Amino acid sequence: MAPTSVKVFGSPTSAEVARVLMCLFEKDVEFQLIRVDAYHGAKRMPQYLKLQPRGEALTFEDDNLTLSESRGILRHISHKYAKQGNPDLIGSGALERASIEQWLQTEAQSFDVPSAEMVYSLAFLPPAMPRQHQNGNGNGNGNGYGNNNGNGMSNGMGKGIVNGTVNGTVNASTKRVLAGAPPGTTKEKEEEMRRLFEKSQRELEKLLDIYEQRLEEAAYLAGDKFTIADLSHLPNADRLASDPRSRRMFERRRNVSRWWEDVSRRESWAYVKSLQRPPSSNGADADATDAQNGQKRVDGDNDSKLQRNQYGDNDNNHQRNQYGEAKDYQQGRPSADGRY
C-alpha cells in the first residue's frame, strides 16, 4: 500500500486529538494514528519529541506541514479535502463561513475551558451530588452530598456503619471514601473541586442559554448543516452528557438536548469513541470485540496497528461507507503502519 501523508500523534482520549480524528472520519481522509501518551514524558518516542519538544498532546502531519492546534487542524482538513467526504464542514459562501468561524471561536473561548474544568472536577467529586449543584438552580437542601442522615454518613451504606462509624471507629478519609469520594481525595481537595465545579457550571449554564436561543432558529450552531463549529464541542460535551451529575444541563434545554442527540449519534463520533476504549488483556475476547468494531489487533502493538479503508476497495482491509446505504465491515490483514 502507498504510504499515507496524514499522521496523527496523540491519544484518542485527548479532546484535542478526538476533534481531529472525528474531522478526518467526516472527510474520509486516510490517516495513520500513532498513539502517544502525553502524561509519560520519559516514555515518549524520540521521533515524537523531535516534532514536539514540549510534548504537546497533539501533533498533526500532512506531507510537509506540521500543526498542533486542533481547531486550526479542523480548518486545514476541511479546506484541503473539501471535495471528499462531508462537504459542509467549512461552508461554501462567505456568510456561511463567517457564521461557522463565529461559533467555532465561541466554543474555543467560552465553552472549552469551563467544560474541561468541569470534567476535571467531576473526577474528584462523589457520584452523589446535591441537587443544587446538579441543577444549577440553588434549590438544594444544603446538607452536603447525597442523602445525609445527620450523622455524617449517607443512608444505605450497609452493615457496620452506626452513627457515622465503622465498627466503632473511622477516620475522616475513610468517611469520605464511604460517602462516595474517590480514594485518596482529601477534604480540602474535594472542596476545591466543588468550587471549581460550581464556577464552571455557572459559566456553562449561561452559555447554554445562548445556545438554546440559537438552536431555536437553526438545526445546528452555524446554520442548518453540521459543521466544524458543532464538531469541536463533541469531546468535552460527550463527557459531561455521559455523567449524571452534569447531564441535566443538556436535558433541561429542549433545543440543546435535541442538538446534542443529533450530533452525538454521528457515525464519525462512534468511530472516535471506539478508538478511546483501552485494549483488552484477553486476546480472544479482544479479537472478537475488535472484529465487531471493524478493527484488527496486531500482536506486540495492540494500540496503534489498526486498518481502515473507507473507499470500499476490495483489498480485504476494513471498509467503511459513511454515506452509502450498505456499511460493510471486513476483517483486515495485520498492518505495520497503523492505517485507518
Side-chain angles (χ1 to χ4, degrees):
M1 291 183 290
T4 177
S5 66
V6 176
K7 296 181 177 66
V8 180
F9 295 81
S11 169
T13 58
S14 159
E16 302 290 312
V17 175
R19 284 189 192 99
V20 172
L21 295 180
M22 184 177 184
C23 188
L24 289 166
F25 283 131
E26 284 280 338
K27 297 301 293 181
D28 283 339
V29 176
E30 187 175 357
F31 66 93
Q32 181 180 358
L33 172 62
I34 298 92
R35 295 186 185 235
V36 177
D37 187 348
Y39 297 100
H40 293 81
K43 298 182 180 180
R44 293 174 192 156
M45 296 181 297
Q47 307 96 304
Y48 181 69
L49 292 177
K50 289 179 181 178
L51 293 170
Q52 290 290 358
R54 293 181 297 171
E56 282 89 345
L58 165 67
T59 300
F60 174 88
E61 278 189 341
D62 191 354
D63 290 326
N64 296 323
L65 177 67
T66 301
L67 301 170
S68 61
E69 199 282 313
S70 62
R71 295 166 193 84
I73 297 170
L74 300 185
R75 297 183 186 97
H76 166 79
I77 295 170
S78 301
H79 282 295
K80 180 173 180 179
Y81 302 98
K83 294 184 179 180
Q84 65 186 71
N86 184 344
D88 302 318
L89 287 186
I90 200 65
S92 56
L95 290 177
E96 191 174 355
R97 289 184 176 180
S99 179
I100 293 171
E101 189 63 31
Q102 173 189 347
W103 287 102
L104 185 62
Q105 288 297 318
T106 299
E107 183 276 326
Q109 297 173 10
S110 301
F111 181 84
D112 184 54
V113 171
S115 61
E117 289 179 342
M118 181 175 284
V119 170
Y120 176 71
S121 67
L122 286 170
F124 294 90
L125 295 174
M129 298 265 296
R131 254 207 186 295
Q132 67 266 38
H133 298 310
Q134 291 188 41
N135 296 343
N137 57 14
N139 292 326
N141 56 22
N143 63 358
Y145 296 109
N147 295 323
N148 196 286
N149 60 16
N151 60 12
M153 302 302 295
S154 296
N155 291 327
M157 295 305 299
K159 296 180 179 180
I161 301 179
V162 181
N163 295 326
T165 66
V166 181
N167 296 328
T169 62
V170 62
N171 59 33
S173 61
T174 303
K175 282 186 180 181
R176 297 179 56 68
V177 172
L178 290 171
T185 304
T186 65
K187 180 178 180 180
E188 292 75 15
K189 183 66 173 180
E190 185 180 334
E191 184 62 24
E192 175 190 350
M193 291 299 101
R194 182 185 61 79
R195 290 193 299 269
L196 180 61
F197 176 89
E198 293 172 350
K199 170 182 171 291
S200 303
Q201 185 180 51
R202 287 192 297 269
E203 294 177 11
L204 286 175
E205 294 277 4
K206 292 178 181 178
L207 182 63
L208 290 176
D209 284 342
I210 296 173
Y211 282 23
E212 178 71 8
Q213 295 176 13
R214 169 57 180 165
L215 293 168
E216 182 73 31
E217 306 165 353
Y220 301 97
L221 290 172
D224 293 327
K225 299 174 182 177
F226 177 83
T227 69
I228 59 174
D230 306 286
L231 182 155
S232 194
H233 288 77
L234 263 292
N236 286 343
D238 183 77
R239 295 186 179 185
L240 295 178
S242 300
D243 193 312
R245 296 168 293 178
S246 48
R247 181 185 303 150
R248 280 185 56 78
M249 291 193 304
F250 296 85
E251 294 176 337
R252 290 201 317 275
R253 295 168 172 85
R254 178 175 59 86
N255 296 314
V256 170
S257 178
R258 182 263 307 159
W259 167 79
W260 176 247
E261 286 296 315
D262 185 318
V263 300
S264 62
R265 290 180 178 178
R266 294 188 73 83
E267 186 182 23
S268 56
W269 183 241
Y271 275 99
V272 174
K273 294 193 73 171
S274 73
L275 295 179
Q276 294 175 339
R277 290 193 290 270
S280 170
S281 59
N282 185 323
D285 291 343
D287 280 335
T289 301
D290 290 338
Q292 292 175 0
N293 291 332
Q295 302 173 359
K296 175 64 179 178
R297 298 193 314 123
V298 178
D299 291 340
D301 188 359
N302 295 341
D303 277 350
S304 62
K305 296 175 182 177
L306 307 174
Q307 289 185 340
R308 169 179 174 270
N309 181 353
Q310 72 275 34
Y311 300 108
D313 300 327
N314 293 321
D315 61 358
N316 290 328
N317 292 331
H318 299 302
Q319 297 184 6
R320 168 177 172 266
N321 182 351
Q322 182 175 7
Y323 299 102
E325 292 300 323
K327 298 180 179 63
D328 183 23
Y329 299 85
Q330 299 181 357
Q331 183 171 334
R333 298 189 300 267
S335 167
D337 63 3
R339 183 176 303 187
Y340 292 79

